Each structure stands twice: as C-alpha cells, then as structure tokens.
Amino acid sequence: MRLGQPRVRACVRSIQPYQPGKPVEEVERELGIRGAVKLASNENPLGPAPLVIQALKQAAGLAGVYPDAGCYYLRQALGQHLKLRAEEIIIGNGSDELLVLLGLALLEPGDEVLTSQMSFVVYYSVPRLMNAKLIAVPMRNYQIDLEAMARALTRKTRIIFIANPNNPTGTVVAPGSLRKFIEKVPGKCLVVLDEAYYEYADSRIMGQTPDLVRERKNVVVLRTFSKAYGLAGLRIGYGVAPKIIVDAIERVREPFNVNHLAQIGARAALKARGHMRQSVELARAERSRMGKALAGMGFKTVPSQTNFIFAQAPIRDSQKFSVDLMREGIIIRPFAGSHVRITMGTRVQNDKMIRAVKRVLGNYIN
Ligand SMILES: Cc1ncc(COP(=O)(O)O)c(C=O)c1O
C-alpha cells in the first residue's frame, strides 16, 4: 500500500506563515551581545501595571480550572468603561482572533474582502483562509485612501478592514472622511474599524467610533489590551459589535478562547488608569523626540499617531540595515525597499537605538 499524506486545503497553502522573530535571548547568544533591545513588535516598554502583576500573581492558582467562557466580569467592566451594555462587547484571544472569527462567521467562498495595501498582515490572510478574494487598495502618501476604497466596493464586498491608526504606517483617517465612507457602504457589508492603537492617537482625530456601531449596524470597532495596556503576552482584545455579529461570534468561537489570566489581567488593567496614561505619554513624547532625531539622520518619517514610527531610511536595503542594527543590539522591523518601522521604547532604549543607527549609517558612508 502506498503511503499518502493528508491533503491541506489549497487556500491554506496559499497563506504565508507568520515569520516569528527569534527570541531576544537567542539573538544575543548568536551574536555574542548583551542587553539587546526589541523595538520590532509595537509592545509597551513599560509592560503591565504593578496592579496587573499583583492580580496575576494572586490568580495563578486558577490555572487548574477552565476560565469563565462568557468573560462575564470583564464584559461588565468594559461595558462600564465604554458606557455600553456588556452584550455589545466581544472578547478574543487577542484582537487577531476576533479578525479571524469575523472572517469565519461572514465569508463565503468568492466573497470579497476590501482593505488597504501596507496594512495589518492578518487582513490579508483572513480572505485566503476563507477562499474569499482580497482587494487591497493602494495607499495615498502613506494614508489609507478611503475614496479609492469606496470606488473598489462591489456587490461581493462582505468585509472591509480599516486599521485606524494604521499599522505599519502610523497614520489615521479623519473622522469626517471615515463617516462619509461608511455611509457609502451597503448594510450587508461589515466595516471593521481596527483601533489597536486607539489610546495613542489624538482623541479629537479619533472621534467616538462605538457610536457608529449603534448608528450603522454594520460596523465593528476592535481594540486591544496588547499595546497601551501592556498585556501583549496575555493575548486579549475586544470589540464593540452589533447584535447580529455578537451572536455570530458566539457561534464560531472556541468556548474557552480567553484564558483566566487574560481576563483578570485585563480587568486590573482597566483600573490602572495612571499606568495606561503614563504609557501613552511616554510613546507620544518619544515619537516626537525620535521623529526629530531620525529626521536629523536623513530618515523620511511619516507622522505617527501610534507607539511606533514608520520611515524611509537613508539606505537602500532595509533588510540589510536591520541585520546591521541587530549586531548593534537593536531589533527593528524592516519593510519593503528602504522602509522601516521602529517601536518607541523607553528613553534609554531609544537613545541606544539612535546611537546604533548613527554607527550603522556611519559604516555605510565610510
Ligand atoms: C492594527 C493591528 N490590529 C490588531 C493587532 C493584533 O493585536 P492583538 O495583540 O490584540 O492580537 C495588531 C498587533 O500588532 C495591530 O497592529
């Protein structure tokens, strides 16, 4: 008998696996360096609030039982926080999971998913997973081009993913143009406003998007505890959604998708408002300081509303540049051509990054 092998769906084979970076410890070991600084994944350099760490320590004993499958207390807390009803809130194992669950719940083969080029990587894998068609509209000057997206709407468009602020460019769309765009979208097409970096942005620019969820019924707003709340390692994100979507997510999600510690950590994080504010103030101050420092070294920086800076570096090959920086103990994220994305660390980490960039650029010139 000939041995066969399991057949993986063609659409799954078309998905590029996520390329995990090496653990920092491994990079240090391989390069024989110490104290490497990772500025590549838009994490919060302050980490979780002390109140969160305390709550997590106290909750460690709960690891033996299944978590609350309904995230009851966290939904209540988020409801209060957002001045919404708990029933309007969805919670996932990171907002990543919510993006996938929305695809699972809504997409039929051949449906279209509309998004922007140069945006968050999961928007490109969700349609592939569901055998749907990805339409990614070019950006305009590093901004999501809502007018072009409106022109790309068809009868088959089922989901629109908009990262606002956008990752990796750090730019935002103005609330007026967002509202105008949403008004053009037919009711049967879901607009997903992914606000993973909401807290870092100027609130006057961001507006009150959960209001749009109530008004339009075809809008979902996603946020996360991974960034300004410093809980990336716990994996927890949430969304505000109309009833039909809340109901659909309940059907497709795994029952215990959000673990105990994530639920407890997130509740404590909502109480630790001072820590969140401090994290946001640090990122805002550093993106302005680092923006100037990088521009002074010939980088063309894109104005950012997030905890990172996207820029065109004064080099030809961002891959080589990032490897050279890694040898100096600085890990950043290279993008196409000479583009790079640098997460804002602490003042000390960022100063180290600037010194390393200077040294690497100096070697290029010499
Ligand atoms: C735009 C955007 N959306 C969603 C996510 C996923 O966040 P989470 O950690 O909640 O899965 C990220 C993470 O980097 C992001 O940049």
Side-chain angles (χ1 to χ4, degrees), residues 41-42 93-97 99 120 123 163 165 167 194 196-197 223-227 232 235-237:
S41 301
N42 303 340
N93 183 35
S95 46
D96 269 351
E97 188 199 31
L99 292 165
F120 187 50
Y123 308 158
N167 176 16
D194 180 353
Y197 301 92
R223 294 189 189 157
T224 183
F225 285 97
S226 297
K227 309 295 174 184
R235 309 303 303 122
I236 181 157

Side-chain angles (χ1 to χ4, degrees), residues 106-114 131-135 152-160 186 188-190:
L106 271 73
L107 295 173
E108 299 282 5
D111 283 347
E112 290 179 7
V113 171
L114 181 59
N131 251 324
K133 191 170 166 201
L134 168 70
I135 312 284
L153 281 167
T154 74
R155 271 185 307 112
K156 290 188 180 165
T157 316
R158 278 291 166 279
I159 300 184
I160 303 169
K188 64 181 183 188
C189 170
L190 184 73

Side-chain angles (χ1 to χ4, degrees), residues 62-130:
L62 289 173
V65 291
Y66 287 103
D68 167 16
C71 296
Y72 179 85
Y73 293 112
L74 178 57
R75 285 168 95 179
Q76 297 286 331
L78 276 169
Q80 271 175 15
H81 177 73
L82 298 164
K83 301 189 175 54
L84 295 169
R85 283 179 297 118
E87 299 76 53
E88 295 171 281
I89 291 162
I90 50 180
I91 304 188
N93 183 35
S95 46
D96 269 351
E97 188 199 31
L98 291 173
L99 292 165
V100 176
L101 292 178
L102 287 169
L104 206 54
L106 271 73
L107 295 173
E108 299 282 5
D111 283 347
E112 290 179 7
V113 171
L114 181 59
T115 189
S116 173
Q117 288 178 4
M118 284 176 90
S119 197
F120 187 50
V121 60
V122 178
Y123 308 158
Y124 310 126
S125 59
V126 167
R128 288 205 174 95
L129 178 64
M130 301 308 298

Side-chain angles (χ1 to χ4, degrees), residues 290-342:
M290 290 300 103
K292 287 183 195 126
L294 290 167
M297 290 190 285
F299 284 70
K300 287 192 190 125
T301 58
V302 177
S304 169
Q305 288 288 327
T306 62
N307 64 340
F308 57 82
I309 293 178
F310 190 72
Q312 208 175 348
I315 42 98
R316 230 178 288 145
D317 179 357
S318 67
Q319 298 285 342
K320 178 180 178 320
F321 180 62
S322 68
V323 170
D324 292 340
L325 268 182
M326 201 182 288
R327 293 210 175 89
E328 299 281 338
I330 300 294
I331 307 169
I332 62 157
R333 179 85 155 76
F335 280 84
S338 53
H339 290 99
V340 293
R341 190 192 67 198
I342 306 175

